[in-house]
Amino acid sequence: YFVSRWVKDKFFEGLPYSHRNNCEILYPAIKPIKNFPKKENLIIFSGKLNSSKGFDLFGAATVRILQKFKDWKALAIGNEPREKFNFKHKNFKILDWLQHDKILNYYSKASISVVPSKWLEPFGRTAMESAAYGCATITTKNGGLPETFDNTLYLDKINSDQLFKIIAKLILDKKKRLAIQKKNFLNVRHKLSDK
């Protein structure tokens, strides 16, 4: 079993065949919530706080966002003992690892989720979960991330300037932000009931 088509394709790369009958893709899945949650002016990042996951981009872009949009807050959940970043703003909080249900609760409150992975994600569970919980979710196209949900918010250039521009546009255009949030919430691609 493979967690994404991307992982399956990588497994067969260089081999004289691209499929075997005993090989299947079994995507991670989520149980969708029933009601669209009440959203706050909150931007969220969850995962390893390292440059491979794009935390450096998130931190740099988010500090600029918080300086421009005073009524917004940002939250990063995770840790990384091997890399240290020093992003400081009164509205930017960093929490250590939390239980899964607590992370999902933060996704239900957040308006914008950022998954700016530089490395080739095998799948990208944080992208799937935050989109299913009604976040306007920004990702890269690395690895299996495009398979997590029907996304329109991609970082074509993986840098903090482009991330800043996308977040700023979402903040300024509340109608567009809400439309993307509801689209993500209503169109969960990988439901537990279908697996």
Side-chain angles (χ1 to χ4, degrees):
Y1 287 99
F2 301 95
V3 295
S4 66
R5 179 165 305 286
W6 181 84
V7 171
K8 182 179 177 225
D9 291 345
K10 292 303 281 182
F11 181 83
F12 286 104
E13 195 174 86
L15 296 177
Y17 40 82
S18 61
H19 180 72
R20 282 290 185 251
N21 288 339
N22 62 347
C23 294
E24 298 291 336
I25 298 167
L26 182 60
Y27 288 105
I30 190 168
K31 182 179 178 182
I33 54 176
K34 292 181 181 176
N35 299 312
F36 185 77
K38 186 178 186 310
K39 294 295 182 179
E40 299 174 8
N41 290 349
L42 178 64
I43 307 160
I44 193 167
F45 176 101
S46 176
K48 286 280 189 185
L49 306 184
N50 63 35
S51 54
S52 293
K53 292 285 189 177
F55 179 65
D56 55 334
L57 307 179
F58 174 79
T62 301
V63 168
R64 287 174 60 199
I65 286 289
L66 298 176
Q67 289 167 347
K68 183 170 183 168
F69 302 98
K70 310 289 187 195
D71 58 337
W72 279 75
K73 294 181 180 178
L75 180 65
I77 303 170
N79 62 33
E80 176 56 84
R82 297 166 296 178
E83 286 185 56
K84 297 290 180 202
F85 297 96
N86 194 22
F87 300 116
K88 298 273 187 204
H89 191 281
K90 64 178 182 151
N91 289 344
F92 188 172
K93 301 257 187 291
I94 298 176
L95 303 178
D96 207 335
W97 286 115
L98 297 173
Q99 291 178 333
H100 188 242
D101 60 332
K102 290 183 179 177
I103 294 172
L104 294 177
N105 186 47
Y106 278 114
Y107 286 150
S108 70
K109 295 176 185 177
S111 288
I112 300 168
S113 173
V114 182
V115 187
S117 292
K118 296 176 191 175
W119 86 300
L120 301 171
E121 292 282 351
F123 177 68
R125 188 170 186 90
T126 58
M128 176 192 69
E129 290 175 342
S130 62
Y133 274 65
C135 292
T137 303
I138 304 163
T139 75
T140 63
K141 293 181 181 178
N142 287 343
L145 276 170
E147 299 175 60
T148 57
F149 69 104
D150 296 323
N151 194 8
T152 56
L153 296 173
Y154 286 114
L155 285 172
D156 295 321
K157 295 178 183 173
I158 305 174
N159 61 50
S160 63
D161 286 338
Q162 190 183 24
L163 181 55
F164 171 85
K165 288 175 187 172
I166 294 172
I167 294 172
K169 282 181 185 176
L170 287 170
I171 290 173
L172 291 169
D173 192 342
K174 186 176 181 180
K175 188 175 177 183
K176 179 180 179 179
R177 185 174 76 239
L178 183 61
I180 292 169
Q181 290 169 334
K182 291 203 168 173
K183 176 180 117 0
N184 290 347
F185 174 76
L186 294 170
N187 297 289
V188 177
R189 189 188 287 182
H190 304 293
K191 297 178 185 175
L192 274 175
S193 57
D194 298 337
K195 304 296 175 190

